[in-house]
Each structure stands twice: as C-alpha cells, then as structure tokens.
Amino acid sequence: MKLRRYQGNPILKPKVENEWESRLVFNPAAIYHNGLFHLFYRAMGVDNVSRIGYGVSLDGFNFSRLDKPVFIPEGRSETGGCDDPRVIRLEDKFYMTYTAYSEGGVRVALASTANFISWKRLGVILPDIDNKDAVLFPEKIEGKYVMFHRPMDETPLSIWVAYSDDLINWNGHKKVMAPKAGNWDGVTIGASCPPLKTEKGWLLIYHGVDEDAVYRLGIALFDLKDPSMLLYRHPEPILEPQEDYELRGEVHEVVFGCGACEVGGAYFIYYGAADRVVCVATIKKEELLKLFN
Ligand code: BMA
C-alpha cells in the first residue's frame, strides 16, 4: 500500500519575490475547517531563519498564499527560527506545536489561534532538554491532554507520550515506540502528523530514518483509551522518496509530513519534499484502515 501523489506536485514552491520564503518552503501543518484546507508551512529565505507561512484552498491542491508570514520568531528561544509546525483543533481553538530553535538548542513550543492569522504564544512547554516532533491529540483522553514528543537525550531517538491538565505542564513521560534496527525506520523515528481518530484506534503517521539518512513515512495504531499502547505498526513505509522533487533538494531523499486532513472518506497527507517544496498525497481511509485488520 502506498499513498497516491498528486500529479500537480509540488503544490507550493519557494517564492523568490518574498525574501522570507525565497529559498525553501516545506514541512506544513494542515487542518480542514469550514470547507477549507489550511496549510501552515515552514519557510526559509536568505537569512536561513524559519518563519511560518499560510495558504488556504477549497480543493486541497490549489492554495492561495499570504505574502507575509503568519508566525515569526520572537524571544531568546527562537533566535534560529520556528520549525516544523503541527496544528490541531481542540475545544474550538486551534493549537500549534512547533520547534523553537536557538543557540540554546531545540525546544517544543505552543501557540493558539481562533482565526489562523493572529497567534498567541503560550511558550516553551518542554523545557530543559532538546526535544522536537511534538504532536497534540485533538481531544482529551480519560480527562487529560495528550502529546507525543521526541526527547533528544537518548539514542536511538524514539517517540514518547506525555499528559497534561493545562497544555503547559506535562508529565507521565513514557516511551511508546522505538526505531526497528535494520529497517527503513531503524535509526530514528518521530511523530509526523497529529494523531487521527479512527474506529480502530489513533492513527499515527510517523517518519523513520534509515542508515543512509533517508526519511520515509510510516503508520502505527495506538489504543483509543490508552494512547501509550501501541496496537500495530505497519512494516512497510507508506511514502518514500521517489520523485525528483523528493530525491533532490536542500536535503536529499526526504519526505517529511507534518499534517493530514480527513475529507470525504480520504486522507490528504501534506509533506515537505527534500526540505525545499510542499507536496500532497492521498489515500482512501478505508484502504488504509484495511491494513489494521
Ligand atoms: C529533521 C527536521 C526536519 C527536516 C528533516 C530532514 O531533523 O529538521 O525539519 O525536514 O530533519 O532534513
């Protein structure tokens, strides 16, 4: 089973006329709301600082973009940029986890919005150690907010769960999934898209890195009531670098998802290709869930 790439990929390319996004656009968060697809993509210009741009679309393929970023680095924890956003809807607000990057390291930070354009910063939520690839679950589970994240003080880099009462203070950290030595996801793994609720469990689209530093996307299923419980991990990747725009770019051989939307019985999975352009691939929900039989 493989995702179907959109024929018109890449759907977003750098815009030389806008300094802040003149070099690279990649790794977009995605959310479907009120009949529109919204993308929040990481953009880099000549200063090599990541800002977050915004695009909106009716069909999920053709996006109109704002000429200015909607989220720009602020404060000491973000001097290097705001990387790899992930957005979810939770209790009628939208929340974005992102990687705050500075000389001090990489940290998981949180922001919220009601309108996609003006964002309120809620600060670094996982202090002290380097950490990235944080995705929030789109609802409370057993009374707690839940997040997957990827602490960087251990080898191999693995996916952990954490719980919170207020979205700011997190505890109950526990490893839930590790790389599978020798496999396509044998060296490093991290959550890619925020978990999607299905009748079979929480569907996690994650990325895996192999010994040749190739980034691929895979899927795993977690228990609906106990998201620390891994129910199934598909042995094969669902997307791997194959097209020219995935094989060659700023970093070669990379597909890196940060957002997926369920619309009309299908998943639209948005990803950065070779850290340079934004692409989309789709799969019928039914077809994907069959893997979990
Ligand atoms: C990861 C992140 C991603 C990037 C990927 C491949 O560590 O920094 O933003 O897409 O590497 O270069």
Side-chain angles (χ1 to χ4, degrees), residues 26-27 42 83-84 132-133 150 215 251 254 256 275:
F26 57 127
N27 301 2
R42 178 176 170 191
D83 299 356
D84 300 350
K132 52 174 30 178
D133 297 330
R150 214 238 353 232
Y215 278 71
V251 181
V254 174
F256 194 96
D275 284 5

Side-chain angles (χ1 to χ4, degrees), residues 32 52 62 94 97 101 106 117 134 143 146 160 163 168 187 195 200 207 213 223 235 239 250 262 267 284:
Y32 184 75
I52 295 175
N62 298 285
F94 300 90
T97 45
Y101 172 48
V106 286
I117 308 291
V146 187
W160 288 59
Y163 303 90
I168 308 296
V187 173
K200 296 192 171 177
H207 57 269
D223 187 77
L239 191 74
E250 180 71 5
E262 180 187 338
Y267 291 120
K284 283 206 180 102

